[in-house]
Amino acid sequence: MSIQTTIAAAAETLPPSLARIARVIADRPRVVIDSTITELATTCGTSVASVIRFCRSVGVNGYAALRMALAAELGRESAQFGESSGFGSEISPADSLREAASKVAALELLAIEETIAGLDDAVLDAAVSAIDASPRILLFGIGASGLVAADFAQKLLRIGRTAVVLGDAHVASAVAALGGPGTVAVGISHSGTTIETQRFLEAAREADVTTIAITGAVDSPVADAAVHVLTTRAREPRLRAGAMVSRIAQLALVDCLFVGVAQRRHSDAVDALQRTAEATQALRAE
């Protein structure tokens, strides 16, 4: 995972003083290159000691190492996406609509690349096996994560699998607590701190249900509540009404799970997709 994505993910789980540093750097990554450690501490309203602790928390040995990692990464990304794209900077009021769209597109492309590159194949295979063998798949997420859950359910239903999207947190925990042989519960939360998703997975686990988490934070309550953890990599822009880049990363993972399940019963899946397409043909406008 890139250092910028690591920092963006860390902002959700770090202590407040270190989270402030993470958010400043996530918003303006060049601030590290352009500032001394004392200047960055002042900008973030914290101490030099906190900056040093922050560096260690994101896996680098010190401020010099952080500057080198960011400089190298920003250079690679500028070469990949072009200097004119403004990649790595926040969407601003001065951006044209084209410039803003280019920044979003670059972040979404990078999120898919990093998410797929960072996949743990063994975990993905175990999750696919659990879903493939399950007579009932329970899916839950809040907000945009709920939309991703609905997308996954629609795909599974198209190949004849019993997938249930639970839109109410109370109902989700209640249904998860009933368990049932072979049931699988999939909880989706980018931050990994969504309490409703955590409770859903915990209730499922207590009922001996196989639990799967799709999250952007591996060290989080939602991840801790799951047996299988699939991690997304995404840097969200500050100007957003809800999940944008993280939603794209989640959808990429959902597609990987779907393809894995469909591959296990390839001919049946292809037949089901064809039959369901034909069934809806008459509903389409002439």
Side-chain angles (χ1 to χ4, degrees):
M1 182 162 57
S2 72
I3 187 64
Q4 290 176 84
T5 305
T6 298
I7 290 169
E12 301 286 349
T13 55
L14 287 172
S17 62
L18 303 191
R20 275 202 310 277
I21 301 171
R23 292 189 184 100
V24 167
I25 297 174
D27 286 350
R28 293 184 292 133
R30 288 201 62 86
V31 71
V32 174
I33 300 168
D34 298 334
S35 305
T36 65
I37 188 170
T38 303
E39 290 169 341
L40 180 65
T42 300
T43 298
C44 298
T46 188
S47 65
V48 169
S50 291
V51 175
I52 294 171
R53 287 199 304 276
F54 168 79
C55 292
R56 292 171 181 160
S57 72
V58 296
V60 295
N61 292 327
Y63 193 64
L66 179 64
R67 293 180 85 175
M68 290 178 63
L70 276 169
E73 189 168 283
L74 288 171
R76 287 194 304 272
E77 291 174 354
S78 291
Q80 180 179 358
F81 297 105
E83 291 285 353
S84 61
S85 71
F87 185 81
S89 59
E90 266 292 341
I91 295 169
S92 74
D95 287 336
S96 68
L97 187 56
R98 168 59 62 181
E99 288 168 337
S102 295
K103 289 179 180 180
V104 171
L107 285 173
E108 291 185 348
L109 287 169
L110 193 66
I112 294 172
E113 290 177 2
E114 288 193 343
T115 294
I116 301 306
L119 267 178
D120 186 318
D121 293 341
V123 174
L124 178 64
D125 185 70
V128 167
S129 295
I131 294 170
D132 178 58
S134 177
R136 186 174 66 153
I137 303 112
L138 307 178
L139 301 160
F140 181 73
I142 293 290
S145 293
L147 300 178
V148 175
D151 178 81
F152 193 19
Q154 186 266 345
K155 287 179 167 66
L156 291 171
L157 289 168
R158 285 284 306 276
I159 58 172
R161 308 314 302 271
T162 302
V164 182
V165 181
L166 301 161
D168 180 274
H170 289 211
V171 172
S173 290
V175 173
L178 293 175
T183 299
V184 169
V186 182
I188 306 173
S189 168
H190 174 61
S191 70
T193 58
T194 308
I195 189 67
E196 296 91 341
T197 307
Q198 177 191 346
R199 294 284 188 263
F200 164 70
L201 290 174
E202 288 174 343
R205 189 176 60 186
E206 290 170 6
D208 294 324
V209 169
T210 300
T211 50
I212 299 170
I214 296 175
T215 180
V218 68
D219 297 319
S220 66
V222 167
D224 290 343
V227 173
H228 308 300
V229 180
L230 294 166
T231 309
T232 54
R233 322 287 191 189
R235 307 175 205 169
E236 284 285 15
R238 186 172 49 207
L239 187 62
R240 62 192 183 98
M244 290 168 48
V245 179
S246 59
R247 184 194 67 243
I248 296 299
Q250 289 172 347
L251 287 169
L253 266 186
V254 160
D255 286 348
C256 291
L257 286 169
F258 169 74
V259 167
V261 172
Q263 276 186 317
R264 300 288 174 95
R265 309 182 193 193
H266 189 273
S267 59
D268 289 342
V270 170
D271 178 63
L273 290 169
Q274 181 62 37
R275 287 164 58 195
T276 53
E278 290 171 355
T280 58
Q281 188 71 43
L283 303 176
R284 298 174 190 171
E286 294 294 338

